[in-house]
Amino acid sequence: MPSTNQVKPAAHQPWWHKMSLATDQCWFFSIGPLQLYLRRLSNEWQCCFEQQKETEERYLMQSNSTQCLPPDLSTQRYIFNKSPEQVSLTPLLLDRPVVIKTRQPVSIPPGEQALFYISSPVCVKLSLHQPDCVLQEIPTQRLSDTWFGPSTQQGELCYAAKTHARHSRAEVPLRPHRAVTPVTIENKSDQLLTINKLSIPVPFLAVYGLADGTLWTDPISLQHDGNHALTRFKISKQAPEGCTAADLLSQPRLQVEKHGLIRAFTDIFSD
């Protein structure tokens, strides 16, 4: 890593904002496991990044000037007649559903419902302004591919991730690179419902950002009536608790069509 100005990493500050870089200025961002470097020249912008392993130390956010781009990273160049001064980073949810395998199985008795907080990594949309220009989207964390569905013919290609299904908002760690989805699960069947994994439809969810540096998505609810059949799926029209319309950072990538998500979630529950 190149030498940087001494700026203390901050776990509790937003990283989504516009900023201006002078000609020949370089800037460094650490957003969880994502290390992102930007450089502005008179007629081009340069960008390089690397995704490191997620650890407790990588839960921090850091933003400061740096002397140069790391020579060992592949650099993408964007050429202009005159390079725009302003750049912004915006959190976006991933372009496929994320299949979450909980670290511990969770069971819900018949007739009960439970609220869980489940997180997934975001992408960083890198944009220039005046004029507006989206350069690229960079995942903060590299996830593996997985198939989710009742068979190889029915289902969809998703990303795979592991996380805790936290039952209390107070237990949710402050992580700048992951957005938290409040998930309400209702067990309408007459049998104990055990959940080992579920699919979060992140392309259909908006992203909200709070002053403490945390990211949230639209809440969702799932209802299980037995026989592994999902009878009701709903994305809340209300912002997540503690968020308002003013905290909205990015709209969903996709809009929900009537009954369009039912098939994707018929195999959501696992004994």
Side-chain angles (χ1 to χ4, degrees):
M1 180 185 298
S3 60
T4 59
N5 294 347
Q6 295 300 314
V7 177
K8 185 178 180 180
H12 316 311
Q13 72 176 26
W15 50 265
W16 44 93
H17 54 77
K18 287 184 182 180
M19 62 181 297
S20 296
L21 292 190
T23 303
D24 296 326
Q25 187 176 11
C26 298
W27 204 266
F28 166 71
F29 295 92
S30 178
I31 305 171
L34 176 66
Q35 310 288 288
L36 174 62
Y37 301 84
L38 300 175
R39 183 186 184 191
R40 180 189 170 224
L41 301 176
S42 60
N43 63 346
E44 70 177 81
W45 276 81
Q46 299 176 351
C47 170
C48 62
F49 67 90
E50 62 179 335
Q51 297 147 320
Q52 301 184 348
K53 184 177 180 180
E54 184 181 36
T55 63
E56 290 289 341
E57 291 77 15
R58 293 295 170 192
Y59 291 176
L60 300 177
M61 199 289 285
Q62 184 177 353
S63 172
N64 52 258
S65 62
T66 183
Q67 293 182 354
C68 60
L69 305 186
D72 57 330
L73 297 182
S74 177
T75 299
Q76 177 70 46
R77 300 171 60 197
Y78 301 91
I79 308 300
F80 301 85
N81 289 326
K82 181 180 179 181
S83 62
E85 295 182 6
Q86 285 192 324
V87 63
S88 66
L89 279 61
T90 306
L92 283 175
L93 294 177
L94 296 173
D95 57 351
R96 298 185 211 152
V98 178
V99 175
I100 301 295
K101 185 174 183 180
T102 59
R103 297 187 187 276
Q104 301 91 21
V106 175
S107 296
I108 303 175
E112 295 291 334
Q113 71 175 36
L115 172 62
F116 299 102
Y117 297 94
I118 300 175
S119 69
S120 58
V122 300
C123 288
V124 175
K125 182 175 74 172
L126 182 62
S127 305
L128 300 180
H129 301 278
Q130 298 177 356
D132 291 347
C133 174
V134 177
L135 299 184
Q136 61 176 309
E137 295 178 10
I138 306 169
T140 56
Q141 186 177 351
R142 189 182 301 276
L143 299 180
S144 59
D145 296 333
T146 187
W147 183 260
F148 190 78
S151 69
T152 56
Q153 286 75 37
Q154 289 185 311
E156 61 185 335
L157 186 63
C158 302
Y159 295 112
K162 290 185 178 181
T163 189
H164 293 282
R166 302 179 190 274
H167 195 49
S168 169
R169 184 185 176 104
E171 297 175 352
V172 178
L174 295 174
R175 294 183 288 189
H177 64 292
R178 298 180 74 97
V180 181
T181 303
V183 181
T184 300
I185 300 177
E186 300 178 64
N187 184 8
K188 298 293 187 179
S189 72
D190 57 2
Q191 297 180 346
L192 186 71
L193 172 62
T194 299
I195 305 165
N196 293 317
K197 63 179 180 179
L198 54 85
S199 178
I200 305 298
V202 294
F204 296 91
L205 305 179
V207 181
Y208 302 80
L210 295 180
D212 63 0
T214 57
L215 295 168
W216 296 81
T217 80
D218 295 317
I220 65 174
S221 60
L222 308 171
Q223 188 179 86
H224 180 61
D225 282 356
N227 299 320
H228 299 284
L230 179 69
T231 59
R232 186 177 301 171
F233 170 86
K234 184 180 180 181
I235 297 175
S236 175
K237 296 182 180 179
Q238 302 293 324
E241 181 183 355
C243 300
T244 67
D247 300 313
L248 179 66
L249 299 178
S250 58
Q251 296 285 352
R253 291 180 182 269
L254 301 174
Q255 296 299 318
V256 179
E257 297 179 3
K258 188 176 182 180
H259 306 306
L261 291 180
I262 298 300
R263 176 178 296 179
F265 293 93
T266 51
D267 195 35
I268 197 168
F269 300 107
S270 175
D271 285 337

